Structures are given as C-alpha cells and as structure tokens.
Amino acid sequence: MASGATVDGPAAASAKKPKLHGRAFYESLGSPKYIVAPMVDQSEFAWRMLSRSFLPESQQSNLLAYSPMFHARLFHESQKYLDQHFQATKPGSDAPFLDGNPAIDRPFFVQFCANEPQHLLRAAKYVAPYCDAVDLNLGCPQGIAKKGHYGAFLQEDQDLVFRLINILHENLDIPVTAKIRLLDTKEASLKYAQNVLRAGASILTVHGRRREQKGHLTGLADWQMIRYLRDNLPAETVLFANGNILRHEDIDKCLAATGADGVMSAEGNLSNPAIFATPPAAGQEPRGYWRGRDGRGGWRVDEVFRRYLDIIHQHVLGAPPPQRRPLFVPGDDTAWMDEEIVLPGQAEGDDRGPKKRRSDVGKENPALMAANFIGLQPHLFHLLRHFVSRHHDVRNALARARLGEMDSYEAICRMVEKKTAEGLLEYEKTGGKSVEAEDCAPAATQEQLDDPESSARAISDCRRPWWVVQPIIRPLPKEAMAKGAISLSKKDRKRMASEMEAGKEGEKGAKRNKDVVVADASAAVTAAVTAQLEKTTSYPSSGLVSG
C-alpha cells in the first residue's frame, strides 16, 4: 500500500462536516449545471483550471470538475501511481497544493474504477478529505476495461455494482456518485439506475450511449432515453446527462430535452475548454476571442495555448508566467512577426541528443511524471487538431517536444501566435475569402443538412477558421461504414447473409414490387448491418455526432 494511503486516510484530514445526501448535497455545492467529465489522463488539475478560467470568477463554482479515472487498487497499493496522479498536498507538507485545493479546485469529484469493494474503499478513504464526492466509473467501454473487468463491463453484475457503491455510502464521510451507460432497453436501463440509487449514490450521471457505441460506432447519444429515466426516477434524484455536447449552445438544448440537472462534457471540452462559458456579446470581445464577418466566432487557439501554459507555470511549477505581449489583432504593429523562433535543440551547437523514453525521463526526474506534465502534449494536439492539419511544422515541433520541457512549449506557442496573426491578416486582406478558399470540402446540399443520418449539419454549424478552437466531428456509423472505416468479421457477414436469405425464402410467393427486392446479397448485408449499428441513435432533432 502507498505510504499514508491507509483506510483511515491521511493524518491531516480536514474537519468533518455533516454528511449530506442526494439533492441536499447537490444544492450545498451550489447546484452546478456544468460538469467537466472524468477522462483518463485528460481531466487533470491544469485542465480543470483551464476550463474554469473562461468563466467569470463569480460563476466558477457553477462548474463541477471530475478527476481523471483512477484505478482503485493501483491507487492504494502503488506510491508511484499515487504520486503521479494525485497531488493534493505539497511534497513533504500538509499544505494544500493542486488536486482538490479548497481555494481553486472545487467543486471536485474523484472517480475510480474498481471491481473489489475493499480496494475501492481504501482508495476512496485516502481522497475523501480532498474532494466533495467519490464517483464510481461504470461507463468505460474500452478493451482495457473489459480485460480488467471494470467500467461498463460490470453492468451484467448488478450485485457487485450495488456492493461497490454501498460500501462507500456506508463508510465514507462524503457522498458517493456513479456514472453509467445505457443498456439495450429503457426498462433494463431504469432498473440499472434504480439499483445504483438504492445502493446509496447521491448523483447519477447517464452517458446516453450503450457500451458498444465507441470509436466509429459512437453515433448519437440518446437524449430521449435519458428523459425516460428522468421521468421515471424519483423527483429528488439528481441526474447529469452526458453525450452530444459539441458547442455551448448544446448545453441548454440538452437540459431541455433530458430534464437533467446538469450537463457533462468530455470530447467537447477537450476540443474547447471554454465550452461552458457564455460567448462574449458582439462588440465586447476580448483580444483572444475572434468573431468573423458572418457573426460566428470562438476562442483563438493562441489565447487558449497561453492560458494553459500560464496555469502550468503558476500553479504546477510555482513560478510567475513569462511576460507576454498582448495578443495580436489586425491594426497592431507587426514588427515582432519578423523575429526568428528557434526551437530548443535546433540552434547551432545545441545538441540535446535523441528524445528520451518516458521511463528514462522518470528515472532522471520523477517530478516530470506528474499528470499535469504528461497531459500537456496530448491536450495541445487535441486543441490544435484543425490548426496542425494545415501547419505541419507546428505539428512536427509538438511531436518532438519533451516531457516537462517548458521552453519547447513556449517556443511552439510563439509559432502558433505568429501563424494565427498571419491568418488574421490574410482574412482581413481578402475580406474573409481566404477562409473560404481553404475549405476544400464541397458544400453540403440542403438534403444532406436535413438528413438525420448525416454529420453534415454538425460540420456546417461548428466549422470555424483553423485559428479558432472547435470540435472534432465524428462520422455517424453509416457514414463510417460507407468510407470503409467499419468492416465486418467473416462470422458477422455469414450470419447476416444467412438471416437475409432466410427472410427471402419466407417471402417467396408473396406479391411484391420488384423495385423493393434486394437482389444483391452484399447490399442486403450492408443494409442489415447499418440498421443494427443505428439501433439506439434515434434522438430525432439532434444534429450532433459526438460528446
């Protein structure tokens, strides 16, 4: 077991408060309706702070953030794992530091995956003094969760689900919450939710997709199913909805459609950490917010990049951020754009040798293995996804950046600022035509925009210039299959063909219009598979494909 991670928790536990439950607990937090989702290695302290930074200080308590998903057994058995993922106090002291710091990182829930109640309780006891609730992950659909028997792969064992939640409910001084996925039917999903609540969960988060809806099969989250649960669970149940949140505008749509108390975002938040903030009014935009000639806008990537680095400097490293010039807007002096940007290791005589493996870096400097450093590069790739598809030099520089090497990230940030400035100047020079010229995709037809089985509407609504943060749009399952991104196993093809052949035999002799006969077996299989893939992606008025 990790040093100090005992069942009784750290020695410096904070004073106990009366334990609240359900809606009383939720209201004690300020009834937050914006929730940063628990994401493996991606909802660490610095990212939570970045997401909060776009809200006015008076509204930051309205954003509830979850920790990344932690493995309960590793958390309490491995000091190395604990040190890497959870930094609630400063090294060698009991002073608040990062995770769960009452001054800057609340409300805050810590999420664990587990399949053994005692392991879960030990880990939960350790974090309890530093968070507002402990959450059980019952939604992870990935292969590693199947192999480890946790996340969404516990849903067949409702007795174990009950015991995992109940042991925390009975033994923690703070509430327990849980996040689930939908089952195949609304009746089964309701029984599942009722079991979780009966076990003692104070808040229930529902991801509106089934376990198999991931990757190219993600499809739409089913808001109607979440509404069914809302209408059939006790009125005092606190319910969070997760899925289909690509833009800020989707939050109120989700609340209205589902009746949920709050809305959780994962991928939408990763693409745009300002997703929960109300966009500034026209004419009141700060320098870091761009608005185009068509009135549509968004936060600039250079602004978000700067904020992220400043949080690392100030909070993680405990040092003042570098002095920075105001972000460029057209009309400013451009002399700075002629300055040469030299990446570390590329200057004459600056030979750092080959990039080291993470394990070697950790041996030389264990402090760099902390989650806030490990998450930096992946987060920036996600934020700059559209940007680096055009600027490959930035992509290559980011790929070469070394763990914790802040001078490299500062140099890349300057590259991003310069290229953003060039894009803004070109946009003004051409009256906006430069953006139109760079859009190589053919314009969607009205039929495509109105098609609920197409992602065209979401792409059209969300598209912004490459210097603006924006969501990554997944194709719907039918589109993915048409592009060859989804393929069937031989077993599935054989089964589908057999089913279709049996259906044809049963229809022999019936009077049918020959135009509706599926003559080609492969086409029949494709049609059947398409129907199967779209099984529960039927929210009719949603043009969203991710979240």
Side-chain angles (χ1 to χ4, degrees):
M1 179 184 296
S3 174
T6 66
V7 174
D8 295 325
S14 58
K16 291 184 179 180
K17 298 179 181 179
K19 183 175 178 179
L20 300 176
H21 184 76
R23 190 157 295 279
F25 164 62
Y26 177 60
E27 291 174 351
S28 76
L29 299 176
S31 302
K33 69 175 184 178
Y34 305 139
I35 301 101
V36 174
M39 297 172 282
V40 178
D41 294 333
Q42 292 189 302
S43 55
E44 75 289 345
F45 169 83
W47 189 258
R48 300 193 298 267
M49 288 294 292
L50 179 62
S51 298
R52 289 188 171 105
S53 74
F54 290 94
L55 294 170
E57 189 172 347
S58 61
Q59 297 179 20
Q60 289 185 6
S61 63
N62 199 31
L63 189 148
L64 163 65
Y66 283 63
S67 74
M69 182 190 76
F70 300 141
H71 191 290
R73 179 180 59 78
L74 291 176
F75 194 90
H76 82 83
E77 287 184 350
S78 170
Q79 184 69 46
K80 181 178 178 181
Y81 183 91
L82 175 61
D83 291 343
Q84 177 177 326
H85 292 285
F86 199 72
Q87 296 176 292
T89 58
K90 293 182 179 179
S93 103
D94 294 329
F97 186 32
L98 303 178
D99 298 294
N101 187 322
I104 54 177
D105 193 26
R106 296 293 180 94
F108 174 52
F109 290 4
V110 174
Q111 188 189 70
F112 290 105
C113 66
N115 57 25
E116 205 288 318
Q118 287 299 325
H119 287 160
L120 177 60
L121 179 60
R122 286 178 177 270
K125 283 274 190 176
Y126 183 85
V127 302
Y130 309 117
C131 63
D132 297 293
V134 172
D135 185 81
L136 177 63
N137 182 305
L138 296 169
C140 182
Q142 304 304 324
I144 192 172
K146 182 177 182 180
K147 182 178 180 181
H149 189 55
Y150 58 80
F153 296 92
L154 297 183
Q155 63 192 32
E156 283 80 16
D157 191 345
Q158 290 293 313
D159 176 66
L160 177 56
V161 167
F162 182 94
R163 289 188 289 116
L164 288 166
I165 295 171
N166 191 247
I167 195 171
L168 300 189
H169 176 59
E170 296 290 340
N171 292 279
L172 289 185
D173 294 327
I174 60 173
V176 56
T177 65
K179 182 170 187 266
I180 68 172
R181 282 188 172 236
L182 298 174
L183 300 183
D184 285 339
T185 67
K186 61 183 183 181
E187 293 81 9
S189 298
L190 178 59
K191 288 182 179 179
Y192 188 9
Q194 291 169 334
N195 184 48
V196 168
L197 294 171
R198 189 169 56 252
S202 279
I203 296 175
L204 176 69
T205 300
V206 181
H207 186 153
R209 295 182 175 94
R210 292 171 292 114
R211 184 170 62 196
E212 56 270 32
Q213 288 182 267
K214 59 183 179 178
H216 291 301
L217 300 182
T218 297
L220 296 178
D222 195 333
W223 285 356
Q224 286 184 327
M225 187 78 95
I226 299 177
R227 166 60 79 171
Y228 172 81
L229 296 179
R230 168 77 283 171
D231 292 344
N232 287 276
L233 291 170
E236 64 270 19
T237 300
V238 180
L239 185 72
F240 294 160
N242 179 212
N244 292 356
I245 308 301
L246 292 176
R247 306 177 296 158
H248 179 78
E249 296 87 333
D250 300 325
I251 295 172
D252 284 340
K253 291 179 184 177
C254 182
L255 290 170
T258 64
D261 295 282
V263 174
M264 176 181 285
S265 175
E267 289 188 357
N269 170 253
L270 288 177
S271 296
N272 177 14
I275 193 169
F276 297 112
T278 302
Q284 300 180 22
E285 301 90 350
R287 283 177 171 252
Y289 190 94
W290 176 87
R291 196 179 301 277
R293 294 171 181 270
D294 59 1
R296 305 204 304 181
W299 288 95
R300 289 166 39 176
V301 291
D302 50 352
E303 165 70 14
V304 180
F305 202 142
R306 275 188 175 190
R307 286 198 191 203
Y308 191 16
L309 292 184
D310 285 353
I311 287 168
I312 298 288
H313 284 295
Q314 180 180 349
H315 295 287
V316 181
L317 294 172
Q323 290 291 320
R324 306 186 191 279
R325 69 172 65 85
L327 278 180
F328 174 84
V329 294
D332 287 353
D333 177 68
T334 59
W336 65 275
M337 296 174 63
D338 296 327
E339 298 173 4
E340 183 182 8
I341 300 173
V342 179
L343 293 164
Q346 295 186 11
E348 186 176 349
D350 183 6
D351 183 11
R352 300 181 301 165
K355 187 174 180 179
K356 297 177 183 179
R357 290 188 295 185
R358 182 179 294 181
S359 58
D360 295 329
V361 173
K363 290 177 183 177
E364 293 180 8
N365 188 353
L368 294 181
M369 295 302 293
N372 293 292
F373 292 121
I374 291 175
L376 182 56
Q377 186 186 54
H379 276 307
L380 290 174
F381 266 120
H382 207 109
L383 282 172
L384 299 173
R385 172 73 173 270
H386 300 278
F387 188 101
V388 299
S389 66
R390 170 184 172 86
H391 299 290
H392 297 173
D393 55 340
V394 174
R395 180 192 63 194
N396 295 338
L398 188 54
R400 290 194 298 267
R402 303 187 181 204
L403 187 63
E405 195 172 67
M406 295 302 291
D407 56 346
S408 290
Y409 290 107
E410 287 291 341
I412 296 168
C413 184
R414 292 194 295 274
M415 292 176 67
V416 170
E417 292 171 7
K418 180 178 178 180
K419 292 180 183 299
T420 298
E422 292 170 350
L424 292 170
L425 289 172
E426 186 67 15
Y427 182 87
E428 293 299 319
K429 179 181 177 180
T430 63
K433 298 295 184 182
S434 60
V435 171
E436 297 174 13
E438 290 167 1
D439 188 359
C440 300
T445 64
Q446 191 60 47
E447 182 179 4
Q448 290 173 318
L449 293 174
D450 295 338
D451 184 359
E453 298 179 351
S454 169
S455 59
R457 172 65 67 181
I459 293 172
S460 175
D461 289 345
C462 295
R463 180 182 284 122
R464 298 290 187 273
W466 47 266
W467 59 81
V468 175
V469 293
Q470 55 195 291
I472 299 168
I473 309 296
R474 293 180 186 270
L476 286 169
K478 185 176 180 180
E479 294 173 314
M481 188 165 59
K483 295 176 181 178
I486 297 175
S487 60
L488 298 175
S489 66
K490 291 182 180 179
K491 180 180 179 181
D492 285 338
R493 288 199 297 269
K494 185 176 180 180
R495 178 174 57 82
M496 291 292 181
S498 177
E499 289 175 1
M500 293 304 296
E501 189 61 33
K504 289 181 182 180
E505 289 294 330
E507 292 176 349
K508 279 185 177 180
K511 291 183 178 180
R512 297 179 294 159
N513 185 328
K514 65 180 180 180
D515 292 334
V516 300
V517 175
V518 182
D520 180 64
S522 63
V525 172
T526 299
V529 173
T530 300
Q532 184 184 56
L533 292 177
E534 295 166 352
K535 204 170 179 182
T536 58
T537 58
S538 58
Y539 186 67
S541 62
S542 175
L544 308 174
V545 293
S546 189

